[in-house]
Amino acid sequence: MGDLGAGFEQLVKGQRWVAAHGRSYGLGLLPGLLTLVLYAAALTSLALWGSELVGWATPFADDWSSPWQGLFRGLLTVVLFALALLLSVLTFTAVTLLVGQPFYEKLSERVDRSVSPDGLAPESGLPLLRELWISARDSLRILLRAGLWGVLLFACGFVPVAGQTVVPVVGIFVTGFFLTEELTAIALQRRGVELRERLALLRSHKRLVWGFGAPLAATFLVPFVAVFLMPGAVAGATLLARRLLGEESGEAEAVRAGAAGAARAEVAGGEWRSGG
């Protein structure tokens, strides 16, 4: 429970940090509010017309007798909305971070300066457009991975008993991992940590990552909560990134070397399996 608790501690510290810095918190709310309006409109449309969409997609059930047609299409409508809700949680952070990149970048820098002994924050030195391109590219790659997990969990949801008990719990942890990757990417990109290296770093500290991301993913399922927690989540992810890289203990170089080695090993393993 140690690493799980430590991960959750970083999340709480982030929320406390923004609570003590009202101006940073206010700026951090704007991108989330805009994204929330877009997602709410999409989910509301699905709730209103989801049954019509399911009916259009299942013409083979038009001749089914009652009550089987209604039960079948009703179940598919519920599952479709649940999948859309899961994908909303998986993608909300990525879209919000992309929309609010300049805001969250500044917020993350302020957190770094406030806890750094020398009062300085790492800087990427890249132009804003280049940073936005890298962020969008990496977010798309993560969303594809998350989407594959979403489809797999969606399919497993039809398994009796396990689909209604085990699968939702697994979904929270999977979502938490990808949320943490998206959030820590802000601080890690400024330190020049590439996507593959970031993933290797997070995988080597799964319990710490789950401790941070799983509670966040669970709370993000509650309507509107994600918007108000996002600034604190960015601040907490910055603190988590410092811990993952060993900056708190002065072991940053060793940690970076280990993550880079793991990333190279992953690439080599993929090339070997593909015969490259």
Side-chain angles (χ1 to χ4, degrees), residues 98-204:
L98 186 60
V99 171
Q101 175 76 16
F103 299 97
Y104 294 134
E105 191 79 30
K106 183 62 66 177
L107 173 59
S108 179
E109 289 180 5
R110 289 177 180 176
V111 174
D112 263 324
R113 291 194 183 96
S114 70
V115 297
S116 177
D118 55 12
L120 300 177
E123 297 181 1
S124 66
L126 298 175
L128 177 59
L129 290 179
R130 176 63 177 170
E131 289 185 349
L132 289 173
W133 161 248
I134 293 175
S135 179
R137 181 198 64 192
D138 290 350
S139 292
L140 179 59
R141 292 174 178 174
I142 290 298
L143 287 178
L144 289 176
R145 293 170 184 256
L148 292 175
W149 273 99
V151 171
L152 176 62
L153 292 171
F154 171 72
C156 291
F158 290 99
V159 178
V161 182
Q164 295 73 49
T165 54
V166 178
V167 172
V169 175
V170 173
I172 289 295
F173 279 88
V174 171
T175 303
F177 181 90
F178 287 115
L179 280 176
T180 304
E181 196 288 325
E182 288 286 351
L183 289 164
T184 55
I186 298 175
L188 293 177
Q189 282 179 4
R190 284 193 290 107
R191 290 161 168 81
V193 184
E194 298 293 335
L195 175 60
R196 194 176 296 275
E197 188 179 344
R198 292 202 304 269
L199 289 173
L201 181 64
L202 294 177
R203 287 172 184 146
S204 65

Side-chain angles (χ1 to χ4, degrees), residues 89 172 179 213-222:
V89 174
I172 289 295
L179 280 176
L216 192 62
T219 56
F220 273 20
L221 291 174
V222 181

